[in-house]
Amino acid sequence: GVKIVTIGGGSSYTPELMEGFIKRFEEMPIREIWLVDIEEGREKLEIVGAMARRMWEASGYPTQVHTTLDRRAALPDADFVTTQFRVGLLYARIKDERIPLSWGMLGQETNGAGGIFKAFRTIPVIGEIIDDMRELCPEAWLVNFTNPSGMVTEAAIKQFGWRRTIGLCNVPVNAMLMEPKIVGYPEGAEDLTFRFAGLNHFHWHRVFDRRGADITARVIERLNDPDNGMPVNIADIPFPLDLIRAIGMLPCAYHRYYYLHAEMLAHALEEFARGESRAEQVKKTEEELFELYRDPALDHKPEQLARRGGAHYSDAACECVNAIWNDKHEHMVVSCENRGALSDLASDSIVEVSALISSKGAEPIAWGEMPAQERGWLQMMKAMEECVIDAAITGDYGRALEAFCLNPLIENGAAAQHVLDELLIAHERYLPRF
Ligand code: NAD
Ligand code: G6P
Ligand code: MN
Ligand code: MN
């Protein structure tokens, strides 16, 4: 049987992960799951660990669930290490969002200054996890879900040298689940072929029917429909269709922050003025979820988890593990090494692309060149990501400022530096390298 270690096991998403593994048990029998957390997450881990045990008991499968605050006790001989941790928990995310907003700039979990600081806090920890893995489970796959997923995956592979890493996101999963329905293919993704290329939270895709005809233009016309697979955490301000028609590819939901910067900023500032950034809404949802998880009668994933943007997370994480374990050569959209798939980016850059997942990991499917506008965006965003990763590892202040300068959601000038300084102070205890 398989041994899974999940770092950040106290996350409210854990029941989603358990449900995904239970659903796939016949294909992939899991012997043991170790949920790992830290002292700050002790209470969450206990509650969600008990909930996970009830879910497995109700399933009738013999899988053992262990909880521990000692990562090194969990890792020996793991087959898969999945990561879903948040350094500083949601308290840190509240600061990531509120500080830029207080300077009139976008405050968001994975974009702009907040996303950069989430990377600064997370990347050194991923390095420590990999140090332990090298020693204790040298054959294991690292399946990373921790945001910013693309940058964390790039650091794991390029900087820390763990080539058996795959980065995940639920945004492509949701798009592939919902788009067939809005263009009249009720069978869902089975009917259509999807091809994605770009970066995490910054990719485009095309859609083809069974005969290979490109139906992207038809999907674009329905892009602003309700139930289009948009994650619930993003304000659904309609995309300007004239722009998207000219691009000729479907943007991801996060492109709104760039294509509609002013509108998305105004929306975030309104919520901020009401005293409720997304992080604060999520904190409330989390408290409600843990109230439910405490109920000793609850033994399945509650509906309310759908209020989190990571819905269908397990269809990415558990299916990826399954596809590796069973050598399925299955199409999934993942963050992995480019290796020429996107000819406009370096071959060792981490990109989020359509790939075939097998026991050898992710083999990216060739996409080719991007049109000029996307080429420009991609190269600029990748340069920004590289600066972020370099700053996270070196603690170099100037490099951090450079990343801020490149990031289009951060207004350049003195205010950018104030935001940087305030975030450095606010997160000081999680930024030992700065
Ligand atoms: P959370 O705030 O509940 O944190 C999860 C757990 O991580 C907490 O219990 C915390 O104590 C623990 N933790 C913090 N530092 C740790 C460390 N060094 N080692 C082990 N555990 C540690 O987070 P959440 O809101 O449930 O989200 C979890 C993570 O998943 C976040 O990074 C989030 O951005 C990410 N996420 C990613 C996607 C995606 O598409 N890739 C979707 C949803 C969430
Ligand atoms: C989407 C993204 C995730 C992100 C999440 C935020 O699903 O793919 O990367 O973490 O939304 O959701 P939340 O409920 O935490 O705001
Ligand atoms: Mn994501
Ligand atoms: Mn900038």
Side-chain angles (χ1 to χ4, degrees):
V2 185
K3 175 172 177 179
I4 310 265
V5 174
T6 298
I7 315 277
S11 163
S12 64
Y13 285 112
T14 292
E16 162 79 24
L17 195 68
M18 296 304 114
E19 187 191 66
F21 284 134
I22 290 169
K23 219 161 61 180
R24 290 169 180 80
F25 186 87
E26 301 292 339
E27 263 190 286
M28 183 182 51
I30 296 176
R31 182 181 75 237
E32 48 190 308
I33 300 182
W34 289 72
L35 301 175
V36 180
D37 215 287
I38 51 169
E39 187 53 44
E40 285 171 279
R42 176 193 285 274
E43 203 198 337
K44 288 175 61 183
L45 180 68
E46 274 167 17
I47 296 166
V48 92
M51 168 81 196
R53 280 189 201 104
R54 292 195 300 272
M55 289 178 74
W56 280 102
E57 264 159 42
S59 78
Y61 295 125
T63 308
Q64 293 295 310
V65 177
H66 304 267
T67 52
T68 180
L69 302 183
D70 179 0
R71 179 169 74 215
R72 293 181 57 86
L75 286 176
D77 301 317
D79 297 296
F80 295 92
V81 176
T82 75
T83 55
Q84 52 174 38
F85 61 92
R86 185 191 300 279
V87 178
L89 294 95
L90 285 167
Y91 308 105
R93 175 168 169 187
I94 292 172
K95 296 174 188 171
D96 281 342
E97 295 185 3
R98 292 188 67 91
I99 290 171
L101 285 165
S102 75
W103 287 91
M105 294 182 209
L106 195 82
Q108 212 279 326
E109 184 198 16
T110 62
N111 291 267
I116 290 176
F117 266 76
K118 191 169 187 336
F120 287 171
R121 297 193 301 279
T122 307
I123 286 170
V125 176
I126 243 346
E128 290 162 17
I129 292 170
I130 288 172
D131 285 343
D132 286 348
M133 287 175 68
R134 204 164 265 129
E135 196 184 323
L136 301 168
C137 52
E139 304 291 318
W141 283 91
L142 176 56
V143 176
N144 176 63
F145 187 66
T146 300
N147 273 320
S149 183
M151 285 192 259
V152 172
T153 301
E154 176 146 328
I157 295 175
K158 274 180 76 174
Q159 273 70 26
F160 303 123
W162 199 264
R163 305 214 43 193
R164 278 186 304 279
T165 306
I166 294 185
L168 293 176
C169 175
N170 65 329
V171 165
V173 170
N174 292 3
M176 290 188 282
L177 201 63
M178 300 309 286
E179 284 175 5
K181 296 181 181 146
I182 61 177
V183 286
Y185 291 87
E187 299 293 305
E190 307 280 286
D191 279 335
L192 301 174
T193 297
F194 288 82
R195 286 294 176 263
F196 284 73
L199 306 179
N200 178 237
H201 292 184
F202 205 86
H203 49 68
W204 297 269
H205 67 279
R206 294 201 178 103
V207 189
F208 303 84
D209 73 9
R210 279 229 160 127
R211 289 167 298 122
D214 188 336
I215 64 158
T216 308
R218 260 174 68 194
V219 189
I220 288 176
E221 294 308 313
R222 313 302 297 272
L223 179 61
N224 294 320
D225 279 20
D227 298 326
N228 59 2
M230 249 232 340
V232 295
N233 57 302
I234 302 174
D236 61 351
I237 299 175
F239 276 112
L241 283 186
D242 289 324
L243 174 70
I244 308 302
R245 288 185 193 112
I247 292 171
M249 297 182 287
L250 286 143
C252 83
Y254 282 90
H255 274 110
R256 279 183 181 74
Y257 291 113
Y258 302 84
Y259 296 167
L260 295 165
H261 184 179
E263 288 77 5
M264 294 299 279
L265 175 59
H267 181 270
L269 285 171
E270 254 167 55
E271 288 189 333
F272 177 67
R274 286 202 306 272
E276 261 216 349
S277 71
R278 174 72 190 164
E280 285 150 308
Q281 297 166 20
V282 165
K283 189 85 193 81
K284 273 193 198 145
T285 302
E286 186 191 61
E287 278 155 20
E288 287 166 27
L289 283 168
F290 275 88
E291 227 12 76
L292 296 171
Y293 296 165
R294 274 192 190 92
D295 176 357
L298 186 70
D299 60 10
H300 61 274
K301 183 185 87 180
E303 279 302 306
Q304 286 87 335
L305 191 53
R307 275 192 256 148
R308 294 296 306 271
H312 305 295
Y313 154 40
S314 64
D315 286 324
C318 305
E319 194 49 33
C320 180
V321 169
N322 189 11
I324 294 173
W325 182 257
N326 285 305
D327 196 23
K328 286 173 80 171
H329 294 264
E330 184 171 332
H331 170 256
M332 294 190 70
V333 183
V334 298
S335 280
C336 64
E337 221 181 353
N338 181 18
R339 285 146 67 189
L342 256 169
S343 56
D344 302 307
L345 293 175
S347 119
D348 66 347
S349 280
I350 301 312
V351 292
E352 192 159 294
V353 290
S354 280
L356 297 177
I357 312 298
S358 71
S359 58
K360 293 188 291 300
E363 296 195 64
I365 295 171
W367 171 278
E369 282 180 7
M370 281 287 186
Q373 104 137 7
E374 289 71 39
R375 181 184 69 222
W377 274 115
L378 279 177
Q379 293 177 344
M380 193 262 298
M381 292 296 279
K382 180 49 76 181
M384 187 271 302
E385 291 190 354
E386 286 175 12
C387 280
V388 171
I389 295 165
D390 189 61
I393 287 170
T394 58
D396 189 274
Y397 180 84
R399 188 71 82 225
L401 203 50
E402 232 179 329
F404 268 44
C405 192
L406 275 165
N407 192 300
L409 305 180
I410 303 173
E411 213 177 292
N412 295 340
Q417 205 159 346
H418 288 304
V419 173
L420 176 62
D421 292 343
E422 278 193 24
L423 282 164
L424 282 170
I425 292 165
H427 292 308
E428 196 175 14
R429 56 178 282 231
Y430 300 112
L431 300 170
R433 301 191 186 202
F434 278 90

Short mmCIF file of all heavy atoms in Angstrom, two decimals, residues 305-362:
data_model
loop_
_atom_site.label_atom_id
_atom_site.label_comp_id
_atom_site.label_asym_id
_atom_site.label_seq_id
_atom_site.Cartn_x
_atom_site.Cartn_y
_atom_site.Cartn_z
N LEU A 305 -17.67 23.51 2.72
CA LEU A 305 -16.30 23.64 2.22
C LEU A 305 -16.28 24.26 0.82
O LEU A 305 -15.28 24.83 0.39
CB LEU A 305 -15.58 22.28 2.26
CG LEU A 305 -14.07 22.28 2.03
CD1 LEU A 305 -13.33 23.24 2.95
CD2 LEU A 305 -13.48 20.88 2.21
N ALA A 306 -17.40 24.16 0.12
CA ALA A 306 -17.51 24.77 -1.22
C ALA A 306 -17.37 26.29 -1.17
O ALA A 306 -17.20 26.93 -2.20
CB ALA A 306 -18.83 24.38 -1.87
N ARG A 307 -17.46 26.88 0.05
CA ARG A 307 -17.26 28.34 0.15
C ARG A 307 -15.79 28.74 0.05
O ARG A 307 -15.46 29.92 -0.05
CB ARG A 307 -17.86 28.86 1.45
CG ARG A 307 -19.33 29.15 1.28
CD ARG A 307 -19.86 29.93 2.46
NE ARG A 307 -20.62 29.04 3.32
CZ ARG A 307 -20.71 29.15 4.64
NH1 ARG A 307 -20.08 30.11 5.26
NH2 ARG A 307 -21.43 28.31 5.32
N ARG A 308 -14.91 27.74 0.09
CA ARG A 308 -13.49 28.01 -0.11
C ARG A 308 -13.15 27.88 -1.60
O ARG A 308 -13.67 27.02 -2.30
CB ARG A 308 -12.62 27.02 0.69
CG ARG A 308 -12.74 27.15 2.22
CD ARG A 308 -12.24 28.47 2.76
NE ARG A 308 -10.89 28.84 2.37
CZ ARG A 308 -9.79 28.50 3.03
NH1 ARG A 308 -9.85 27.78 4.12
NH2 ARG A 308 -8.60 28.91 2.61
N GLY A 309 -12.22 28.75 -2.03
CA GLY A 309 -11.84 28.78 -3.44
C GLY A 309 -11.19 27.50 -3.94
O GLY A 309 -11.11 27.27 -5.14
N GLY A 310 -10.74 26.65 -3.02
CA GLY A 310 -10.02 25.44 -3.42
C GLY A 310 -10.92 24.24 -3.70
O GLY A 310 -10.43 23.11 -3.72
N ALA A 311 -12.22 24.48 -3.93
CA ALA A 311 -13.14 23.37 -4.24
C ALA A 311 -12.54 22.49 -5.34
O ALA A 311 -11.90 22.99 -6.26
CB ALA A 311 -14.49 23.92 -4.67
N HIS A 312 -12.78 21.20 -5.26
CA HIS A 312 -12.26 20.21 -6.23
C HIS A 312 -10.74 20.06 -6.17
O HIS A 312 -10.14 19.48 -7.07
CB HIS A 312 -12.69 20.53 -7.67
CG HIS A 312 -14.16 20.67 -7.83
ND1 HIS A 312 -15.01 19.61 -7.64
CD2 HIS A 312 -14.94 21.73 -8.14
CE1 HIS A 312 -16.25 20.03 -7.82
NE2 HIS A 312 -16.24 21.32 -8.12
N TYR A 313 -10.14 20.55 -5.11
CA TYR A 313 -8.70 20.41 -4.91
C TYR A 313 -8.27 18.95 -5.06
O TYR A 313 -7.26 18.63 -5.69
CB TYR A 313 -8.38 20.99 -3.53
CG TYR A 313 -7.17 20.48 -2.80
CD1 TYR A 313 -5.98 20.21 -3.45
CD2 TYR A 313 -7.20 20.32 -1.41
CE1 TYR A 313 -4.86 19.76 -2.74
CE2 TYR A 313 -6.11 19.89 -0.70
CZ TYR A 313 -4.94 19.60 -1.37
OH TYR A 313 -3.86 19.18 -0.67
N SER A 314 -9.09 18.01 -4.52
CA SER A 314 -8.68 16.61 -4.55
C SER A 314 -8.66 16.03 -5.96
O SER A 314 -7.94 15.08 -6.23
CB SER A 314 -9.59 15.77 -3.65
OG SER A 314 -10.90 15.79 -4.16
N ASP A 315 -9.46 16.61 -6.86
CA ASP A 315 -9.42 16.11 -8.24
C ASP A 315 -8.09 16.44 -8.89
O ASP A 315 -7.72 15.82 -9.88
CB ASP A 315 -10.59 16.67 -9.06
CG ASP A 315 -11.90 15.99 -8.66
OD1 ASP A 315 -11.87 14.78 -8.36
OD2 ASP A 315 -12.93 16.68 -8.62
N ALA A 316 -7.38 17.40 -8.35
CA ALA A 316 -6.02 17.64 -8.81
C ALA A 316 -5.06 16.77 -7.99
O ALA A 316 -4.35 15.93 -8.54
CB ALA A 316 -5.66 19.12 -8.69
N ALA A 317 -5.06 16.92 -6.68
CA ALA A 317 -4.04 16.28 -5.84
C ALA A 317 -4.13 14.76 -5.84
O ALA A 317 -3.15 14.07 -6.11
CB ALA A 317 -4.15 16.81 -4.41
N CYS A 318 -5.32 14.22 -5.55
CA CYS A 318 -5.45 12.76 -5.44
C CYS A 318 -5.30 12.11 -6.80
O CYS A 318 -4.73 11.03 -6.92
CB CYS A 318 -6.77 12.38 -4.80
SG CYS A 318 -7.03 13.18 -3.20
N GLU A 319 -5.80 12.75 -7.84
CA GLU A 319 -5.69 12.16 -9.17
C GLU A 319 -4.24 12.18 -9.65
O GLU A 319 -3.79 11.26 -10.32
CB GLU A 319 -6.63 12.87 -10.15
CG GLU A 319 -6.85 12.14 -11.45
CD GLU A 319 -7.21 10.64 -11.32
OE1 GLU A 319 -7.88 10.25 -10.35
OE2 GLU A 319 -6.78 9.86 -12.20
N CYS A 320 -3.50 13.22 -9.29
CA CYS A 320 -2.09 13.28 -9.66
C CYS A 320 -1.31 12.13 -9.01
O CYS A 320 -0.54 11.42 -9.67
CB CYS A 320 -1.52 14.64 -9.25
SG CYS A 320 0.21 14.83 -9.68
N VAL A 321 -1.55 11.92 -7.72
CA VAL A 321 -0.90 10.82 -7.01
C VAL A 321 -1.28 9.48 -7.66
O VAL A 321 -0.44 8.62 -7.93
CB VAL A 321 -1.32 10.85 -5.51
CG1 VAL A 321 -0.89 9.58 -4.80
CG2 VAL A 321 -0.73 12.08 -4.82
N ASN A 322 -2.56 9.33 -7.95
CA ASN A 322 -3.08 8.12 -8.58
C ASN A 322 -2.42 7.89 -9.95
O ASN A 322 -2.02 6.77 -10.29
CB ASN A 322 -4.59 8.29 -8.72
CG ASN A 322 -5.31 7.02 -9.17
OD1 ASN A 322 -4.72 5.95 -9.20
ND2 ASN A 322 -6.57 7.16 -9.53
N ALA A 323 -2.31 8.95 -10.74
CA ALA A 323 -1.75 8.82 -12.09
C ALA A 323 -0.28 8.43 -12.04
O ALA A 323 0.20 7.68 -12.90
CB ALA A 323 -1.94 10.12 -12.87
N ILE A 324 0.45 8.92 -11.04
CA ILE A 324 1.85 8.52 -10.89
C ILE A 324 1.92 7.07 -10.43
O ILE A 324 2.61 6.24 -11.03
CB ILE A 324 2.58 9.44 -9.88
CG1 ILE A 324 2.68 10.88 -10.41
CG2 ILE A 324 3.99 8.89 -9.58
CD1 ILE A 324 3.22 11.88 -9.41
N TRP A 325 1.16 6.76 -9.38
CA TRP A 325 1.22 5.42 -8.78
C TRP A 325 0.83 4.35 -9.80
O TRP A 325 1.47 3.29 -9.89
CB TRP A 325 0.28 5.37 -7.56
CG TRP A 325 0.32 4.07 -6.85
CD1 TRP A 325 -0.62 3.07 -6.91
CD2 TRP A 325 1.33 3.60 -5.97
NE1 TRP A 325 -0.25 2.02 -6.12
CE2 TRP A 325 0.95 2.31 -5.54
CE3 TRP A 325 2.54 4.15 -5.49
CZ2 TRP A 325 1.72 1.56 -4.66
CZ3 TRP A 325 3.30 3.40 -4.63
CH2 TRP A 325 2.90 2.11 -4.22
N ASN A 326 -0.21 4.62 -10.58
CA ASN A 326 -0.71 3.63 -11.54
C ASN A 326 -0.21 3.86 -12.96
O ASN A 326 -0.74 3.26 -13.90
CB ASN A 326 -2.24 3.58 -11.50
CG ASN A 326 -2.74 2.87 -10.26
OD1 ASN A 326 -2.36 1.74 -10.00
ND2 ASN A 326 -3.55 3.56 -9.47
N ASP A 327 0.76 4.75 -13.13
CA ASP A 327 1.39 4.98 -14.44
C ASP A 327 0.32 5.20 -15.51
O ASP A 327 0.33 4.57 -16.57
CB ASP A 327 2.27 3.75 -14.78
CG ASP A 327 3.25 4.07 -15.91
OD1 ASP A 327 3.56 5.25 -16.13
OD2 ASP A 327 3.68 3.11 -16.60
N LYS A 328 -0.59 6.16 -15.23
CA LYS A 328 -1.79 6.28 -16.07
C LYS A 328 -1.62 7.09 -17.36
O LYS A 328 -2.48 7.08 -18.21
CB LYS A 328 -2.94 6.89 -15.24
CG LYS A 328 -3.53 5.91 -14.25
CD LYS A 328 -4.54 6.55 -13.31
CE LYS A 328 -5.91 6.73 -13.94
NZ LYS A 328 -6.91 7.16 -12.92
N HIS A 329 -0.55 7.85 -17.48
CA HIS A 329 -0.38 8.73 -18.65
C HIS A 329 -1.63 9.58 -18.86
O HIS A 329 -2.17 9.67 -19.95
CB HIS A 329 -0.06 7.91 -19.92
CG HIS A 329 1.28 7.22 -19.83
ND1 HIS A 329 2.43 7.76 -20.36
CD2 HIS A 329 1.64 6.06 -19.24
CE1 HIS A 329 3.44 6.94 -20.11
NE2 HIS A 329 3.00 5.91 -19.42
N GLU A 330 -2.08 10.17 -17.78
CA GLU A 330 -3.33 10.91 -17.81
C GLU A 330 -3.08 12.39 -18.05
O GLU A 330 -2.12 12.96 -17.53
CB GLU A 330 -4.01 10.72 -16.45
CG GLU A 330 -5.37 11.35 -16.37
CD GLU A 330 -6.06 10.95 -15.08
OE1 GLU A 330 -5.76 9.86 -14.55
OE2 GLU A 330 -6.88 11.75 -14.61
N HIS A 331 -3.98 13.02 -18.82
CA HIS A 331 -3.86 14.46 -19.04
C HIS A 331 -4.25 15.22 -17.78
O HIS A 331 -5.36 15.05 -17.26
CB HIS A 331 -4.74 14.94 -20.20
CG HIS A 331 -4.81 16.45 -20.29
ND1 HIS A 331 -5.90 17.18 -19.87
CD2 HIS A 331 -3.88 17.36 -20.69
CE1 HIS A 331 -5.65 18.48 -20.05
NE2 HIS A 331 -4.44 18.61 -20.55
N MET A 332 -3.31 16.03 -17.28
CA MET A 332 -3.63 16.93 -16.17
C MET A 332 -2.88 18.23 -16.42
O MET A 332 -1.89 18.25 -17.15
CB MET A 332 -3.14 16.33 -14.83
CG MET A 332 -3.88 15.07 -14.43
SD MET A 332 -3.47 14.60 -12.72
CE MET A 332 -4.30 15.92 -11.83
N VAL A 333 -3.36 19.30 -15.79
CA VAL A 333 -2.69 20.58 -15.93
C VAL A 333 -1.89 20.80 -14.65
O VAL A 333 -2.45 20.84 -13.56
CB VAL A 333 -3.69 21.71 -16.15
CG1 VAL A 333 -2.98 23.04 -16.36
CG2 VAL A 333 -4.58 21.38 -17.35
N VAL A 334 -0.57 20.88 -14.78
CA VAL A 334 0.29 20.92 -13.60
C VAL A 334 1.42 21.92 -13.80
O VAL A 334 1.73 22.30 -14.93
CB VAL A 334 0.91 19.53 -13.31
CG1 VAL A 334 -0.17 18.50 -13.00
CG2 VAL A 334 1.80 19.07 -14.45
N SER A 335 2.04 22.31 -12.69
CA SER A 335 3.28 23.09 -12.77
C SER A 335 4.44 22.11 -12.80
O SER A 335 4.60 21.29 -11.89
CB SER A 335 3.41 24.03 -11.56
OG SER A 335 2.62 25.19 -11.76
N CYS A 336 5.23 22.19 -13.86
CA CYS A 336 6.37 21.27 -14.03
C CYS A 336 7.42 21.97 -14.89
O CYS A 336 7.20 23.09 -15.38
CB CYS A 336 5.91 19.97 -14.68
SG CYS A 336 5.30 20.17 -16.36
N GLU A 337 8.53 21.27 -15.09
CA GLU A 337 9.60 21.85 -15.90
C GLU A 337 9.13 22.01 -17.35
O GLU A 337 8.54 21.09 -17.92
CB GLU A 337 10.81 20.91 -15.83
CG GLU A 337 12.09 21.66 -15.70
CD GLU A 337 13.30 20.72 -15.66
OE1 GLU A 337 13.12 19.49 -15.60
OE2 GLU A 337 14.41 21.25 -15.69
N ASN A 338 9.43 23.14 -17.95
CA ASN A 338 8.96 23.48 -19.29
C ASN A 338 9.48 22.52 -20.36
O ASN A 338 8.70 21.99 -21.15
CB ASN A 338 9.41 24.93 -19.58
CG ASN A 338 8.96 25.42 -20.95
OD1 ASN A 338 8.06 24.87 -21.58
ND2 ASN A 338 9.60 26.48 -21.43
N ARG A 339 10.78 22.28 -20.36
CA ARG A 339 11.40 21.37 -21.35
C ARG A 339 10.90 21.61 -22.77
O ARG A 339 10.56 20.67 -23.49
CB ARG A 339 11.13 19.92 -20.94
CG ARG A 339 12.01 19.48 -19.76
CD ARG A 339 11.34 18.51 -18.84
NE ARG A 339 11.08 17.22 -19.45
CZ ARG A 339 10.36 16.26 -18.87
NH1 ARG A 339 9.83 16.47 -17.67
NH2 ARG A 339 10.19 15.13 -19.47
N GLY A 340 10.80 22.89 -23.13
CA GLY A 340 10.47 23.21 -24.52
C GLY A 340 9.00 23.30 -24.85
O GLY A 340 8.63 23.67 -25.96
N ALA A 341 8.13 22.97 -23.90
CA ALA A 341 6.70 23.00 -24.21
C ALA A 341 6.24 24.39 -24.62
O ALA A 341 5.46 24.57 -25.55
CB ALA A 341 5.89 22.49 -23.02
N LEU A 342 6.72 25.39 -23.90
CA LEU A 342 6.41 26.79 -24.21
C LEU A 342 7.71 27.41 -24.71
O LEU A 342 8.60 27.72 -23.91
CB LEU A 342 5.98 27.51 -22.93
CG LEU A 342 4.52 27.79 -22.73
CD1 LEU A 342 4.27 28.25 -21.30
CD2 LEU A 342 4.03 28.84 -23.70
N SER A 343 7.81 27.59 -26.02
CA SER A 343 9.11 27.96 -26.59
C SER A 343 9.52 29.39 -26.22
O SER A 343 10.67 29.76 -26.39
CB SER A 343 9.09 27.78 -28.10
OG SER A 343 8.02 28.51 -28.65
N ASP A 344 8.59 30.17 -25.67
CA ASP A 344 8.94 31.55 -25.30
C ASP A 344 9.58 31.66 -23.92
O ASP A 344 9.97 32.74 -23.49
CB ASP A 344 7.67 32.42 -25.31
CG ASP A 344 7.02 32.40 -26.69
OD1 ASP A 344 7.72 32.68 -27.67
OD2 ASP A 344 5.82 32.08 -26.77
N LEU A 345 9.66 30.54 -23.19
CA LEU A 345 10.28 30.56 -21.86
C LEU A 345 11.43 29.56 -21.82
O LEU A 345 11.46 28.59 -22.59
CB LEU A 345 9.25 30.22 -20.79
CG LEU A 345 8.12 31.23 -20.57
CD1 LEU A 345 7.12 30.70 -19.55
CD2 LEU A 345 8.67 32.58 -20.10
N ALA A 346 12.34 29.78 -20.88
CA ALA A 346 13.51 28.90 -20.75
C ALA A 346 13.06 27.47 -20.49
O ALA A 346 12.01 27.23 -19.89
CB ALA A 346 14.39 29.38 -19.60
N SER A 347 13.90 26.54 -20.93
CA SER A 347 13.47 25.15 -20.84
C SER A 347 13.49 24.65 -19.40
O SER A 347 12.78 23.70 -19.06
CB SER A 347 14.31 24.33 -21.82
OG SER A 347 15.03 23.38 -21.16
N ASP A 348 14.24 25.29 -18.49
CA ASP A 348 14.21 24.85 -17.09
C ASP A 348 13.26 25.68 -16.23
O ASP A 348 13.21 25.52 -15.01
CB ASP A 348 15.63 24.83 -16.48
CG ASP A 348 16.23 26.23 -16.37
OD1 ASP A 348 15.68 27.18 -16.97
OD2 ASP A 348 17.25 26.37 -15.68
N SER A 349 12.49 26.58 -16.85
CA SER A 349 11.48 27.32 -16.08
C SER A 349 10.32 26.40 -15.73
O SER A 349 10.01 25.49 -16.47
CB SER A 349 10.91 28.48 -16.92
OG SER A 349 11.78 29.56 -16.91
N ILE A 350 9.69 26.69 -14.58
CA ILE A 350 8.49 25.95 -14.24
C ILE A 350 7.30 26.66 -14.84
O ILE A 350 7.12 27.87 -14.66
CB ILE A 350 8.35 25.81 -12.71
CG1 ILE A 350 9.57 25.08 -12.12
CG2 ILE A 350 7.04 25.10 -12.35
CD1 ILE A 350 10.00 23.79 -12.82
N VAL A 351 6.50 25.90 -15.57
CA VAL A 351 5.32 26.46 -16.24
C VAL A 351 4.10 25.64 -15.83
O VAL A 351 4.25 24.52 -15.33
CB VAL A 351 5.51 26.42 -17.78
CG1 VAL A 351 6.60 27.38 -18.20
CG2 VAL A 351 5.83 25.00 -18.27
N GLU A 352 2.91 26.22 -16.02
CA GLU A 352 1.70 25.43 -15.76
C GLU A 352 1.08 25.07 -17.09
O GLU A 352 0.60 25.95 -17.82
CB GLU A 352 0.72 26.19 -14.86
CG GLU A 352 -0.39 25.26 -14.34
CD GLU A 352 -1.06 25.79 -13.09
OE1 GLU A 352 -0.39 25.87 -12.03
OE2 GLU A 352 -2.25 26.14 -13.16
N VAL A 353 1.14 23.80 -17.43
CA VAL A 353 0.78 23.35 -18.77
C VAL A 353 0.04 22.02 -18.72
O VAL A 353 0.11 21.28 -17.74
CB VAL A 353 2.04 23.15 -19.66
CG1 VAL A 353 2.68 24.48 -20.01
CG2 VAL A 353 3.04 22.22 -18.99
N SER A 354 -0.60 21.72 -19.84
CA SER A 354 -1.14 20.37 -20.03
C SER A 354 0.02 19.40 -20.06
O SER A 354 1.03 19.66 -20.72
CB SER A 354 -1.88 20.31 -21.38
OG SER A 354 -3.15 20.87 -21.26
N ALA A 355 -0.14 18.29 -19.36
CA ALA A 355 0.95 17.32 -19.29
C ALA A 355 0.34 15.93 -19.15
O ALA A 355 -0.83 15.80 -18.79
CB ALA A 355 1.85 17.62 -18.10
N LEU A 356 1.13 14.92 -19.48
CA LEU A 356 0.70 13.55 -19.24
C LEU A 356 1.39 13.08 -17.97
O LEU A 356 2.62 13.16 -17.86
CB LEU A 356 1.06 12.67 -20.44
CG LEU A 356 0.35 13.07 -21.74
CD1 LEU A 356 0.81 12.20 -22.90
CD2 LEU A 356 -1.18 13.00 -21.58
N ILE A 357 0.60 12.59 -17.02
CA ILE A 357 1.16 12.20 -15.73
C ILE A 357 1.26 10.68 -15.67
O ILE A 357 0.27 9.97 -15.84
CB ILE A 357 0.27 12.69 -14.55
CG1 ILE A 357 -0.11 14.17 -14.72
CG2 ILE A 357 0.97 12.44 -13.22
CD1 ILE A 357 1.04 15.13 -14.73
N SER A 358 2.48 10.24 -15.42
CA SER A 358 2.74 8.80 -15.35
C SER A 358 3.73 8.54 -14.22
O SER A 358 4.09 9.47 -13.49
CB SER A 358 3.33 8.32 -16.67
OG SER A 358 4.65 8.82 -16.80
N SER A 359 4.22 7.32 -14.13
CA SER A 359 5.18 7.01 -13.06
C SER A 359 6.49 7.79 -13.24
O SER A 359 7.28 7.89 -12.32
CB SER A 359 5.45 5.51 -13.01
OG SER A 359 5.93 5.09 -14.27
N LYS A 360 6.71 8.35 -14.43
CA LYS A 360 7.89 9.19 -14.63
C LYS A 360 7.61 10.65 -14.27
O LYS A 360 8.47 11.50 -14.44
CB LYS A 360 8.35 9.11 -16.09
CG LYS A 360 8.89 7.72 -16.46
CD LYS A 360 9.54 7.69 -17.85
CE LYS A 360 8.53 7.86 -18.99
NZ LYS A 360 7.49 6.79 -19.01
N GLY A 361 6.41 10.92 -13.82
CA GLY A 361 6.07 12.29 -13.46
C GLY A 361 5.31 12.97 -14.58
O GLY A 361 4.53 12.34 -15.28
N ALA A 362 5.56 14.29 -14.73
CA ALA A 362 4.81 15.07 -15.71
C ALA A 362 5.62 15.21 -16.99
O ALA A 362 6.75 15.67 -16.96
CB ALA A 362 4.50 16.45 -15.14
#
